[in-house]
Amino acid sequence: MAFFKNIHHPKWKQYLISILLVFLISTTCFLLNEYIGNKTVALIFLVMVSFIALTFDILPVLLTATLSALIWNFFFIPPLFTFHINSAEDILMFFVYFAIAVVNAGFTFKIRKEEIKAREKEEKLKSIKLYNTLINCLSHELKTPISTIMASVDTMMEQEDKLSADVQKELLSEINTASIRLNRQVENLLNMNRLESGFLKLKFIWSDINELIFTVIQKLEPLKNEHSIIYKPSDELPLCKIDEGLIEQVLYNLVHNAIIYTPEGTTITIKFSVHDSHCKIIVSDNGPGIPKDELDHVFKKFYRVTGSKSGGTGLGLSIVKGFVSAHNGTVTVENLPKGCQFIVRIPCETSYINQLNNE
Ligand code: ADP
């Protein structure tokens, strides 16, 4: 049935399939004609035309209707093997069959077209809704850090001499945090755009994932406050061939979320291991976890867990999923007795640095 659902077959394929189907059904009916009679054959032909009309364009459907009418006349209406029809009743039946087939074809085609139109309208409304959601989130997400930066810079410029070193340090730290927030949203938007446009081209390089994890931890240092981030690196692990930029972003988004959506004092643990044909990164925390009935939705674009603290556009995890999928990998999330864990599996080549040097 999946075949029939695909309405985008090229025209030549639609004609070919229609003709083949007519011949297949005609042959089958011809062999069974003795048992089923020519009126049942007409009904079977009508069902076939309706099926074709559910999927194909109007011209192949009309071809099916005409061809099946002619075949019905030639092979099934007496006298057989001629286009001549003897009885007035059979002539009437032939024209009624043809009329029903054509009207049926036209009608089904029209209904399908209306359905497609309604679906397109629904899609359009959905994207307008998504666009509005994005604009609403963004206006808040971009405006808040920009206001913080402007206010802090204003204070520093106007009261340059009067501010103590501590206050200046605090203002600079606020500017720093706001810039990171701003940068994250812009990065998320650009990344989403790369994913949506289909222009994401992976640049695979031999990468030391230990190093990549440390880079992410360092980048998130200014945001982590009282959270502790634990990662025990292993010296013996091989290099992995991945797109470093994308996997860094994946890890950044996961650890960033673990900082944002868990209370101060939470422990965030990163684990990295290499298996036969893939590498595995686990980011877990002992925070509140994710409500069970929302676990399946968190990777959807713009999805935010009910009651999530303000800030955030619901793009972070959909980017994680997009970048991991681009590596043919998987990302899953599950709750722990306390907290939750995200597991990223990426199929990749691995090699030790000395093996690479010997090549
Ligand atoms: P955003 O952070 O912009 O809301 P994400 O796609 O990154 O979007 O996250 C989707 C939702 O998943 C968030 O709204 C948050 O509630 C939830 N979430 C993500 N990571 C965690 C975590 N470690 N603990 C609890 N909730 C989380």
Side-chain angles (χ1 to χ4, degrees):
M1 252 359 222
F3 179 82
F4 277 107
K5 275 182 199 152
N6 178 7
I7 56 166
H8 297 298
H9 293 301
K11 268 258 168 54
W12 67 267
K13 219 173 173 183
Q14 297 187 21
Y15 283 116
L16 187 71
I17 293 168
S18 307
I19 293 171
L20 285 178
L21 209 61
V22 171
F23 281 108
L24 190 76
I25 290 180
S26 314
T27 316
T28 317
C29 289
F30 189 72
L31 294 174
L32 299 174
N33 194 20
E34 205 183 315
Y35 309 104
I36 57 179
N38 67 0
K39 292 190 181 88
T40 314
V41 173
L43 287 178
I44 294 174
F45 277 154
L46 281 179
V47 172
M48 173 192 64
V49 173
S50 311
F51 259 109
I52 297 263
L54 281 178
T55 312
F56 291 170
D57 293 336
I58 189 74
L59 286 179
V61 177
L62 288 178
L63 172 79
T64 314
T66 313
L67 201 60
S68 58
L70 292 176
I71 288 182
W72 189 50
N73 178 354
F74 195 81
F75 288 100
F76 297 94
I77 301 180
L80 299 186
F81 310 118
T82 67
F83 286 111
H84 181 71
I85 304 176
N86 271 348
S87 79
E89 189 194 341
D90 283 345
I91 293 179
L92 189 67
M93 259 183 54
F94 173 74
F95 283 111
V96 168
Y97 168 78
F98 189 62
I100 294 179
V102 170
V103 170
N104 182 10
F107 206 56
T108 316
F109 183 71
K110 208 170 157 200
I111 292 176
R112 220 183 75 213
K113 250 178 131 181
E114 291 300 319
E115 256 176 30
I116 292 173
K117 242 194 225 163
R119 218 177 304 139
E120 275 172 4
K121 201 171 161 196
E122 204 178 298
E123 290 286 314
K124 220 177 193 175
L125 284 176
K126 224 158 108 188
S127 24
I128 292 175
K129 207 169 149 209
L130 282 183
Y131 180 76
N132 284 341
T133 316
L134 179 67
I135 296 294
N136 281 344
C137 292
L138 272 190
S139 48
H140 178 263
E141 277 306 291
L142 299 181
K143 260 170 121 178
T144 314
I146 290 173
S147 310
T148 309
I149 294 171
M150 285 169 73
S152 305
V153 170
D154 255 8
T155 315
M156 288 180 83
M157 283 169 72
E158 276 171 20
Q159 306 177 28
E160 198 186 346
D161 310 328
K162 295 178 215 151
L163 296 176
S164 67
D166 277 351
V167 174
Q168 283 193 29
K169 213 169 148 193
E170 196 171 314
L171 287 173
L172 281 174
S173 157
E174 270 180 32
I175 292 174
N176 191 27
T177 311
S179 316
I180 292 173
R181 192 169 160 188
L182 205 54
N183 190 44
R184 176 176 180 250
Q185 295 310 341
V186 174
E187 286 278 335
N188 271 348
L189 271 185
L190 294 177
N191 286 329
M192 187 44 76
N193 189 36
R194 282 169 79 192
L195 279 169
E196 299 269 289
S197 64
F199 284 122
L200 190 66
K201 218 166 170 245
L202 272 62
K203 281 189 227 113
F204 286 99
I205 51 167
W206 289 108
S207 172
D208 180 344
I209 302 222
N210 276 337
E211 224 170 79
L212 190 141
I213 293 172
F214 279 119
T215 309
V216 170
I217 294 175
Q218 210 175 5
K219 279 191 182 171
L220 285 164
E221 191 65 33
L223 295 185
K224 86 176 177 64
N225 296 330
E226 301 296 314
H227 291 81
S228 32
I229 303 180
I230 296 178
Y231 174 58
K232 292 193 184 113
S234 164
D235 290 337
E236 283 132 44
L237 288 174
L239 303 179
C240 296
K241 205 168 189 184
I242 52 159
D243 184 313
E244 216 172 51
L246 299 195
I247 298 304
E248 184 180 319
Q249 189 67 51
V250 165
L251 200 61
Y252 183 96
N253 285 7
L254 292 178
V255 182
H256 180 271
N257 276 351
I259 294 175
I260 298 293
Y261 297 111
T262 61
E264 295 292 348
T266 297
T267 302
I268 299 160
T269 311
I270 305 172
K271 285 184 187 151
F272 166 58
S273 53
V274 176
H275 304 261
D276 280 349
S277 56
H278 68 276
C279 66
K280 183 156 100 178
I281 304 172
I282 301 179
V283 178
S284 58
D285 63 63
N286 57 357
I290 294 171
K292 207 171 148 211
D293 53 341
E294 299 195 60
L295 277 173
D296 286 343
H297 304 293
V298 289
F299 293 106
K300 288 181 190 160
K301 200 163 51 169
F302 297 124
Y303 191 86
R304 306 204 68 224
V305 167
T306 327
S308 286
K309 65 194 259 187
S310 68
T313 49
L315 287 179
L317 288 179
S318 58
I319 289 169
V320 166
K321 185 159 184 172
F323 283 1
V324 172
S325 303
H327 281 79
N328 292 321
T330 56
V331 53
T332 51
V333 58
E334 57 198 32
N335 278 324
L336 299 170
K338 189 160 169 33
C340 61
Q341 68 175 5
F342 289 83
I343 306 174
V344 177
R345 288 187 183 84
I346 299 166
C348 61
E349 283 180 61
T350 55
S351 180
Y352 286 91
I353 194 145
N354 49 353
Q355 283 172 340
L356 285 177
N357 291 339
N358 291 340
E359 274 174 15

